[in-house]
Structures are given as C-alpha cells and as structure tokens.
Amino acid sequence: MVETIQWTDDGVVMIDQTRLPLTEAYVTCRTYEEVATAIRDMIIRGAPAIGVAAAMGVAIGVLRAGEADLDAQVETICDTLAKTRPTAVNLFWAIGRMKRLYDSLQGRPIAEIRARLVEEAKLVREEDIAINRAMGRNGAALVPDGKTVLTHCNAGALATAGYGTALGVIRAAREAGKNIDVFADETRPFLQGARLTVWELQQDGIPTTLITDNMAGHFMKSGRIGCVVVGADRIAANGDVANKVGT
Amino acid sequence: MVETIQWTDDGVVMIDQTRLPLTEAYVTCRTYEEVATAIRDMIIRGAPAIGVAAAMGVAIGVLRAGEADLDAQVETICDTLAKTRPTAVNLFWAIGRMKRLYDSLQGRPIAEIRARLVEEAKLVREEDIAINRAMGRNGAALVPDGKTVLTHCNAGALATAGYGTALGVIRAAREAGKNIDVFADETRPFLQGARLTVWELQQDGIPTTLITDNMAGHFMKSGRIGCVVVGADRIAANGDVANKVGT
C-alpha cells in the first residue's frame, strides 16, 4: 500500500506528490516550517492528508520547541500551518484538535505534553485510514458489478492518510470480488488524475484507463460507466456537493 | 489576417501550426512529397485547410513532374496525398476535383495542363475563403449580443484557407458590431484550442479567455454563454453531427 505520510523518529515522512508518477521520492520534514512548506508546495495534497500533515506539524513543532514561552510558540506554529492551504477544511480541524489537547495539558511536564501531542497526531492518521476503510465498505455495496467506475481528480490513498475516500470505495469493491475496472479523468489543469490516480491504482494492480476530461460524457452516454465515485470539498446537509470544477 | 496556406513562386507556403503559439514560422513545400509530409505531421490541419493543401500538392506535383508517363505519375501523386489524413473528407474531395480536371485535359500541351492545375488549386483556396465568409454572415445573425461565445478546438482561419468556419461566425458577429467575447476550451489531448484558437483570435484583437474543457459545463450552467459555435467533421441530413470527442 502507498504510504502517503508517516511519523518516524527522523521526522514527518511524505511521498513527494509533485514528482509522481515519474519518480517515487520521499521528503522528511524535521520542523513545523518544513511541514508548512510541504503543504504549500503541494508535496502533500488532498484535504484528509493535509489534516494529518497539520497535526504532525503541530506535534513536531512542540517537540522541537524550547520550554520558555511555549504558549506563544504554539500560537506561532498553529498560525503558520493555518496559512498554508485555506481551502482544506481538515487543516483547521486538525490544528484545532491539537490546540485543544495542548490547552488541556496546561501545567503538565513538557515531556508529557510532547508525548501526548505526538500520540494524538499518529491517532489522527490512524483514524483517517479507519474512516476511509469504513467508507469503502459502505460505498462498495453501491458499485455495479462488471462495469467501469469513473473517477475525477485524486481522492485516493495519496489524498488521505491511506486507502482513500473515492478510491477506497473502488478498492473495497475489488476486495469484495467485484469485477470492475476504472476510467480516470486526467483532471485539468493540474493533472491529479493522470499523475496520481493512475499511478496509485496501478500500484495495486487495479486495471485503469486514463481518459481526457472531455471523454467522460461520451463514456457515460455509451453505457460503459456503471457508477461515478469522486471526492468532495464540502457536502451540505441537503445533499449539495462542492468540488473541483468539472466534477 | 492569418495566412494559413498560400501558393507562391517558391512553392506552397504554410504557417507551421505545430510551433504556434510560441513561434510564428512558415514552411515552404517545394514538392508534393513535402506537402504530404506537412499534412501528416500536422504542420497544416483542419479539414478545409487540408483540402487546399491537397489541391496545391497535386498542382505542384504535376508542375515538377517530367512529361513521360504523366498519367502514372499523377496516380502516384494522388495516392500519396490520399494516404496522409484519412479522416479529412476535404482531402479526398480536393484530390478528386484535381484528378477530374487533369483527366479532362487529356491530350493538351503539358504547359497548359500545369497552368490549369495551378489555377484550380488557387481557386480551391479562394472558394474556401468565400464559403467561410458566407457561413460567417449567416451564422452571425444567430449570435446573441452582449454574451460570451464558447468554442471547442480550432475551426478557425488556421483550419481553413482563411477566416474560419466556427471562428468565421465569431469574426462576422464582431464585424457586425456585436459586443461579444470568446471562451476557448483548451481541447485535450492536442490543445488546438489553447495553442491555435486563442492565438488567432488574439491576432484579430477579439477578447478571448482560455478555459479547461471541464470548465465549459460550469459556464454554460451559469448563463454566461450566449451560444456555442464549433466545427464538425460530418453533418448528417437529419442534423446529427460528428466531431471531436467532448464537443
């Protein structure tokens, strides 16, 4: 399985998504500033993955911070990370979660604060994978057998801590024995479909065909597409969905 | 005005469409083989432009041919040109027209045959421009004033001998004083919209915005688009249209 982001003794290790699919390279962020830069430069992208990165960024920031003026340093760490990608709601959610935990540990020894924040950041990652697997199981039941699944952009393992949201549904359907293949829109202008979705599905041996965005309508009309699974930036209570243009 | 293809004393001169928009370079084809290569390599593209190139290819072939075995040489010239771009119906139409003229000149002095074929090839070009202007005048009446016109691919001056089919309608609407601007789909995978349509409309000072193909639906839904004007590979008697995927 693709490892999008991991906590290691060296720091936060991310696969460099700007270099995929031609090069599988990993970046180690040893400070919260390096984590912020990685988010800003799209080395890591996808709202859930950014949330995990932000949580780990807070943890590594506090781990490396001096004991003096810790509250002010935590403010700076959180502010810096919050400014990286304002469209990713998970970013603010993860920073808020880490900040609330930090506040609840007021007066505790710094070693304990550091340990608890690192533990929490790892938990954010594990929870995200568990959520994706649950989403996959639920979604897989809706995927028609023997047809092609169409997807747009990358809502995959690379956009999350692992397994993926939209691509998690596809993975779970395959694991459930359904005979499906995937058509991936290339997703202009940044080509996340061509560069990331095709690459990660090929890693798992899932038959995947790259199409241009303007071919999607043709294949939907021809009846080949059994269902469409995509990510969403927001889902409103009434079912309205906001996502990348063209979705 | 953009000069897509011209007959000159040196040979058939074409603007090199593979190098636009970064470089405005011209290619001179001095033999029918060079014309065939230019069509195959997409130095010239667009069915009407290819038709003109094929007619000029036959003319230059006969101009350079020896007098012995002329019938066999004309067969070879026509066969070679016919194999360049089998999807362009104008290719076969133009070759057929030149071949019929050649056949009708059996027994005439070779100087006369050559002169008549060159004249006919120039006429094919002039007729194409006249047809585009007539299409433009008729189409312009249908373009809503004060809105944006959406177009896909390049059905412009560059796809024809000049003025353009779809873009001819836009030009005629502007000449008629309509207050319109243009949204051009980039047109994946070969980017004729981004590379050619935007370039040629900018040459004429027509306000043009480049969008990705997957933005077209959004702008049509938002009400900004007053009409869509596109080229067609074929139009059936019942009104069905065949064109590039995504049109």
Side-chain angles (χ1 to χ4, degrees):
Chain A
M1 196 172 106
V2 176
E3 290 291 3
T4 308
I5 178 166
Q6 283 179 288
W7 182 273
T8 73
D9 291 342
D10 283 342
V12 183
V13 177
M14 307 171 186
I15 192 166
D16 186 346
Q17 301 196 31
T18 64
R19 300 181 66 188
L20 288 174
L22 297 180
T23 306
E24 186 178 338
Y26 293 82
V27 169
T28 304
C29 299
R30 292 180 173 82
T31 64
Y32 78 89
E33 290 99 332
E34 287 178 5
V35 172
T37 301
I39 297 171
R40 209 161 19 228
D41 292 352
M42 294 189 77
I43 285 166
I44 193 160
R45 31 64 58 196
I50 287 172
V52 176
M56 291 186 175
V58 174
I60 208 161
V62 174
L63 201 62
R64 303 281 194 259
E67 206 161 342
D69 271 336
L70 190 57
D71 285 1
Q73 292 185 75
V74 170
E75 280 300 331
T76 305
I77 291 165
C78 292
D79 283 358
T80 304
L81 289 164
K83 280 179 188 143
T84 51
R85 275 289 290 274
T87 56
V89 71
N90 304 50
L91 178 76
F92 305 104
W93 168 85
I95 294 168
R97 174 167 165 172
M98 296 297 281
K99 184 66 172 34
R100 279 192 301 280
L101 175 63
Y102 173 80
D103 290 342
S104 76
L105 295 168
Q106 283 293 342
R108 311 295 304 168
I110 186 147
E112 184 187 336
I113 293 173
R114 287 172 173 158
R116 288 286 302 279
L117 287 175
V118 169
E119 197 181 298
E120 190 75 5
K122 289 183 185 173
L123 192 63
V124 169
R125 177 177 174 277
E126 283 158 29
E127 284 176 8
D128 186 57
I129 296 173
I131 288 167
N132 289 342
R133 288 200 173 268
M135 247 193 281
R137 276 192 303 276
N138 289 321
L142 302 171
V143 175
D145 199 7
K147 289 253 191 180
T148 297
V149 180
L150 177 68
T151 189
H152 191 72
C153 199
N154 177 267
L158 290 167
T160 62
Y163 204 68
T165 52
L167 299 193
V169 172
I170 290 166
R171 287 192 166 93
R174 293 272 299 185
E175 287 163 14
K178 288 194 176 170
N179 176 30
I180 53 169
D181 70 331
V182 177
F183 274 21
D185 295 342
E186 60 178 354
T187 318
R188 295 286 298 163
F190 204 63
L191 295 171
Q192 295 96 327
R195 293 189 302 107
L196 305 178
T197 296
V198 171
W199 180 82
E200 75 163 83
L201 292 178
Q202 281 177 341
Q203 297 296 306
D204 283 4
I206 297 174
T208 303
T209 303
L210 174 64
I211 63 171
T212 66
D213 299 336
N214 48 359
M215 292 176 191
H218 167 73
F219 287 114
M220 291 176 76
K221 192 174 170 191
S222 76
R224 168 157 189 167
I225 306 298
C227 70
V228 182
V229 192
V230 295
D233 287 334
R234 301 284 190 290
I235 303 172
N238 70 348
D240 283 352
V241 169
N243 200 42
K244 179 172 282 96
V245 70
T247 303
Chain B
M1 195 171 107
V2 175
E3 289 291 359
T4 308
I5 180 166
Q6 284 179 286
W7 183 274
T8 73
D9 290 343
D10 281 342
V12 183
V13 176
M14 307 172 185
I15 191 166
D16 185 346
Q17 301 197 28
T18 65
R19 300 181 67 188
L20 288 173
L22 298 179
T23 306
E24 187 178 337
Y26 293 82
V27 170
T28 304
C29 300
R30 294 181 171 80
T31 65
Y32 78 88
E33 290 99 332
E34 287 178 5
V35 172
T37 301
I39 297 171
R40 211 163 18 229
D41 292 352
M42 296 189 75
I43 285 168
I44 193 160
R45 32 63 58 196
I50 288 173
V52 176
M56 291 185 174
V58 174
I60 208 162
V62 174
L63 203 62
R64 303 282 192 259
E67 205 161 342
D69 270 336
L70 190 57
D71 284 2
Q73 291 183 75
V74 169
E75 279 300 329
T76 305
I77 292 165
C78 291
D79 283 357
T80 303
L81 289 164
K83 279 179 189 144
T84 52
R85 275 290 290 276
T87 57
V89 71
N90 303 53
L91 179 74
F92 304 104
W93 168 84
I95 294 168
R97 174 168 164 172
M98 297 296 282
K99 184 67 172 31
R100 278 192 302 280
L101 175 62
Y102 173 80
D103 290 343
S104 77
L105 295 168
Q106 283 292 341
R108 312 295 304 170
I110 186 147
E112 183 187 340
I113 294 173
R114 287 173 173 157
R116 288 286 304 277
L117 287 175
V118 169
E119 196 182 299
E120 189 76 3
K122 289 183 186 173
L123 191 63
V124 169
R125 176 178 173 278
E126 282 158 29
E127 284 176 9
D128 187 56
I129 296 174
I131 288 167
N132 289 341
R133 288 200 173 267
M135 249 193 280
R137 275 193 303 275
N138 289 320
L142 302 170
V143 175
D145 198 7
K147 290 252 189 181
T148 297
V149 180
L150 177 68
T151 189
H152 191 72
C153 199
N154 177 266
L158 290 166
T160 62
Y163 204 68
T165 53
L167 299 193
V169 172
I170 290 168
R171 287 192 165 93
R174 293 272 299 185
E175 287 163 15
K178 288 195 176 170
N179 176 29
I180 54 169
D181 70 331
V182 177
F183 274 21
D185 295 342
E186 60 177 354
T187 317
R188 295 285 297 161
F190 204 64
L191 294 171
Q192 295 95 327
R195 294 189 300 107
L196 305 178
T197 295
V198 172
W199 180 82
E200 74 162 82
L201 292 178
Q202 281 177 341
Q203 299 296 308
D204 283 3
I206 298 173
T208 303
T209 304
L210 175 63
I211 62 171
T212 66
D213 299 336
N214 47 1
M215 293 176 190
H218 167 73
F219 287 115
M220 290 176 77
K221 192 175 169 189
S222 75
R224 168 158 189 166
I225 306 298
C227 69
V228 182
V229 192
V230 295
D233 286 334
R234 301 283 191 288
I235 303 172
N238 71 349
D240 285 351
V241 169
N243 199 41
K244 180 170 283 95
V245 70
T247 303

